[in-house]
Amino acid sequence: VQLQASGGGLVQPGGSLRLSCAAASGFSLDASSIGWFRQAPGKEREGISCIRRGDGITWYAESVKGRFTISRDNAKNTLYLQMNNLKPEDTAVYYCAAEGICSKLGSIYPEEYDYWGQGTQVTVSS
């Protein structure tokens, strides 16, 4: 399974970015639970959001809740992460991952996901 993450960049605090995660043909994102993770320098990779296959239930980490929105465009076979009101502490490499566990009740962890995109850098700085 190939996942291609894109959309990162440099943005000022309070700004917005939309990340995309496109899946290669032959793999349907709506048939898989998909997660977004991020890893800041010197820190462990953390799960920040996911969307569950089928019913589309979503989960967000407290650190991004109310600012980030995960969505899925089945026709384009693409996952999105809309990030608003960005803060310097959001600076990290962001990854999408597929074939994992997603529940609105709990966190997600890297070891639960089987396939990963290459990551896209998000830098929030003035």
Side-chain angles (χ1 to χ4, degrees):
V1 175
Q2 284 189 319
L3 302 173
Q4 181 76 27
S6 62
L10 173 64
V11 64
Q12 292 186 342
S16 298
L17 283 174
R18 188 178 77 159
L19 305 184
S20 299
C21 176
S25 61
F27 180 76
S28 296
L29 287 179
D30 65 342
S32 174
S33 292
I34 309 293
W36 282 102
F37 295 78
R38 67 185 181 186
Q39 187 165 19
K43 294 188 176 182
E44 293 185 351
R45 192 170 297 188
E46 64 168 340
I48 57 172
S49 184
C50 67
I51 184 166
R52 193 163 70 183
R53 67 180 182 180
D55 58 14
I57 283 178
T58 59
W59 169 85
Y60 299 92
E62 286 298 321
S63 59
V64 305
K65 192 176 293 184
R67 300 187 297 124
F68 291 10
T69 303
I70 191 171
S71 63
R72 187 173 60 201
D73 186 329
N74 294 335
K76 295 182 178 180
N77 206 24
T78 301
L79 179 78
Y80 300 101
L81 186 69
Q82 177 66 43
M83 306 187 296
N84 298 328
N85 190 24
L86 283 161
K87 305 176 181 180
E89 52 264 40
D90 294 319
T91 295
V93 178
Y94 284 69
Y95 300 88
C96 58
E99 292 292 312
I101 298 171
C102 181
S103 166
K104 63 181 180 180
L105 300 178
S107 301
I108 59 173
Y109 301 95
E111 57 268 27
E112 296 173 340
Y113 283 73
D114 292 334
Y115 303 105
W116 291 80
Q118 85 288 4
T120 184
Q121 176 71 46
V122 172
T123 302
V124 185
S125 175
S126 55

